[in-house]
Amino acid sequence: MNILVVGSGGREHALCWAIEASPLCDRLYCAPGNAGIAAVAECLPVAADDVEGLVVLASEKAIDFVVVGPEQPLVLGLVDRLAAAGVKAFGPSASAAALEGSKSFMKGLCARYGIPTARYATFTDAEAAKAHVRAEGAPIVVKADGLAAGKGVVVAAGVEEAEAAIDAALLEGSFGEAGAEIIVEECMTGPELSFFVLADGETVLPLAGAQDHKRAYDNDEGPNTGGMGAFSPSPLLTDALRRRVMAEIIEPTVAAMKAEGAPFKGVLYAGLMLTPDGPKLLEYNVRFGDPECQALMVRLKSDILPALIASADGALSTVDLRWRDEAAIVVVMASKGYPGAYRKGTPIKGLKKAGETGATIFHAGTASTDDGGIVATGGRVLGVTALGATLGEARDAAYRAVDAIDWPEGFCRRDIAAAALSAARAEEGA
């Protein structure tokens, strides 16, 4: 098969890395890709949000199957356009992608079908939103309704911070059209968990659990980011909790989408808060998480490609995925200044040495130079990923590889999975 992966981040590098190993894959392309992806796929200069360009590309390259990585082309209807052109693709239709593309749609679905989530209200008027915040008090959460690259959420500790977030979205246009409507919701408390399933419109296949780290700096300080690290499996995801999440959140959602005339096919990523009242839905993403995908792909023993095809074909009931017992850790290296302003074009050295430690280095924002070097072109730049017999061993291996990389303009968190390890040690000592 000729396979096209759409996207240019660490998630897409991990997907290409896994798909290239499949005996079903004859030719692998990625649009637009990056310097790391170029080692396993032919990169083609078509942007991930260029829907018409990607449809033309699929025809020109006689693509048999398209795997859409990021959310933007899904929300724009890439899967629909490919289907109209006779090209099979992995990912939801535009109507189903509204689960991520519109938080008000997702919240409304939860309200109609009794899916547990935070109490909320939607607003387009800043003064009305601020009056609601003053009535509710803080802490409180303000979210842009649309896609904001993981940066449209403010967890406000005080009323003034919440009002500033409201002004930024509704009056100052900080998030463009994505912030023309906002969600103001209660601030839930508890550990967060990433829960992934494949769906084919009816059947749901749960994947391994993972946890990520959203804040930019150690000890969960600093602004929210697209993700600074992840680990899998999550000690939080017990068999009992998995069954409860499937029964109370995932399966009702997939059934609801079918009932709404927008059956969900693809990967459904539930961001969960494990509250004292049980698991509740924070948000849905309609694609693999980044960097969680990197951890999942290195732990997956099965061929990923048949599962992706079965999702598109409505045949997931025939799929059984097997996972490695080892734990995986991903440490994201980002450009200094991220998620704010940062320099582009800074050189990265030591990648070969880092790879010799046994880690897998997934690229996100990188490009090659004429002399064969690698430079940073984005905010999140590398996903240093390692396996270990235990979470602690995987963590040590990942940071050994990080320390082998010579990139003065980069930074990373040094506490990925540290809290989970501390909790595990405390439980052992109890």
Side-chain angles (χ1 to χ4, degrees):
M1 299 178 71
N2 293 338
I3 312 295
L4 170 64
V5 174
V6 174
S8 61
R11 166 184 50 228
E12 288 76 35
H13 190 179
L15 288 169
C16 285
W17 176 83
I19 291 168
E20 191 268 340
S22 171
L24 297 177
C25 179
D26 296 315
R27 293 291 302 274
L28 180 59
Y29 302 93
C30 188
N34 61 42
I37 293 174
V40 293
E42 180 180 345
C43 294
L44 302 167
V46 180
D49 60 358
D50 181 359
V51 171
E52 295 307 315
L54 291 165
V55 173
V56 170
L57 179 63
S59 175
E60 290 177 346
K61 296 296 184 182
I63 297 299
D64 299 299
F65 190 60
V66 178
V67 178
V68 186
E71 62 275 19
Q72 187 73 27
L74 294 169
V75 171
L76 291 173
L78 176 57
V79 170
D80 307 77
R81 286 287 294 111
L82 289 167
V87 181
K88 189 184 298 185
F90 172 78
S93 64
S95 57
L99 277 173
E100 179 171 2
S102 171
K103 291 180 179 65
S104 62
F105 172 83
M106 183 273 286
K107 289 294 225 176
L109 189 86
C110 290
R112 290 193 297 277
Y113 291 90
I115 297 163
T117 186
R119 289 182 294 104
Y120 76 102
T122 62
F123 298 94
T124 56
D125 179 78
E127 288 307 314
K130 286 190 267 190
H132 177 78
V133 165
R134 289 191 290 271
E136 291 290 320
I140 199 163
V141 182
V142 179
K143 296 180 176 180
D145 175 66
L147 299 178
K151 304 178 187 70
V153 178
V154 174
V155 181
V159 170
E160 288 186 3
E161 185 182 0
E163 291 183 337
I166 290 166
D167 285 342
L170 294 179
L171 300 182
E172 299 163 18
S174 297
F175 304 109
E177 290 184 9
E181 182 176 22
I182 62 170
I183 308 294
V184 180
E185 66 180 28
E186 69 170 312
C187 183
M188 299 186 294
T189 59
E192 290 188 37
L193 177 68
S194 300
F195 193 94
F196 296 89
V197 302
L198 296 181
D200 65 4
E202 190 162 351
T203 300
V204 181
L205 179 66
L207 306 181
Q211 284 180 254
D212 73 341
H213 298 256
K214 290 295 188 190
R215 298 283 185 170
Y217 310 126
D218 286 7
N219 303 312
D220 287 330
E221 296 179 355
N224 270 328
T225 72
M228 294 299 295
F231 58 94
S232 175
S234 168
L236 297 174
L237 188 57
T238 62
D239 289 341
L241 178 59
R242 186 192 303 273
R243 288 191 296 271
R244 186 172 180 183
V245 170
M246 289 290 288
E248 297 179 9
I249 297 175
I250 302 297
E251 290 171 350
T253 298
V254 173
M257 292 300 288
K258 183 181 179 181
E260 297 270 325
F264 189 91
K265 295 184 176 185
V267 62
L268 189 58
Y269 159 18
L272 304 175
M273 181 73 80
L274 306 184
T275 77
D277 298 323
K280 293 187 179 183
L281 181 66
L282 284 167
E283 63 180 6
Y284 270 130
N285 296 310
V286 298
R287 35 68 189 187
F288 282 103
D290 187 346
E292 295 100 326
C293 183
Q294 292 87 304
L296 294 179
M297 289 304 104
V298 298
R299 289 195 62 222
L300 184 61
K301 292 175 69 175
S302 303
D303 185 346
I304 187 62
L305 192 50
L308 303 182
I309 294 169
S311 171
D313 285 346
L316 272 178
S317 60
T318 66
V319 174
D320 180 29
L321 294 178
R322 295 174 298 117
W323 300 89
R324 300 183 190 282
D325 293 332
E326 295 101 323
I329 297 274
V330 186
V331 178
V332 170
M333 299 190 72
S335 297
K336 287 181 178 177
Y338 173 79
Y342 53 83
R343 287 179 59 199
K344 294 185 178 182
T346 58
I348 303 171
K349 299 178 181 179
L351 291 174
K352 182 179 179 182
K353 184 179 178 183
E356 289 171 352
T357 67
T360 303
I361 317 299
F362 292 117
H363 291 226
T366 65
S368 299
T369 60
D370 292 339
D371 61 0
I374 299 293
V375 295
T377 59
R380 293 188 298 161
V381 176
L382 301 171
V384 181
T385 307
L387 287 166
T390 65
L391 201 56
E393 289 183 17
R395 186 174 184 273
D396 292 344
Y399 280 110
R400 278 196 299 273
V402 165
D403 291 338
I405 294 173
D406 179 11
W407 181 30
E409 291 299 319
F411 79 100
C412 70
R413 285 182 56 160
R414 306 296 303 197
D415 66 343
I416 302 303
L421 283 168
S422 295
R425 291 186 186 115
E427 189 171 320
E428 289 171 2

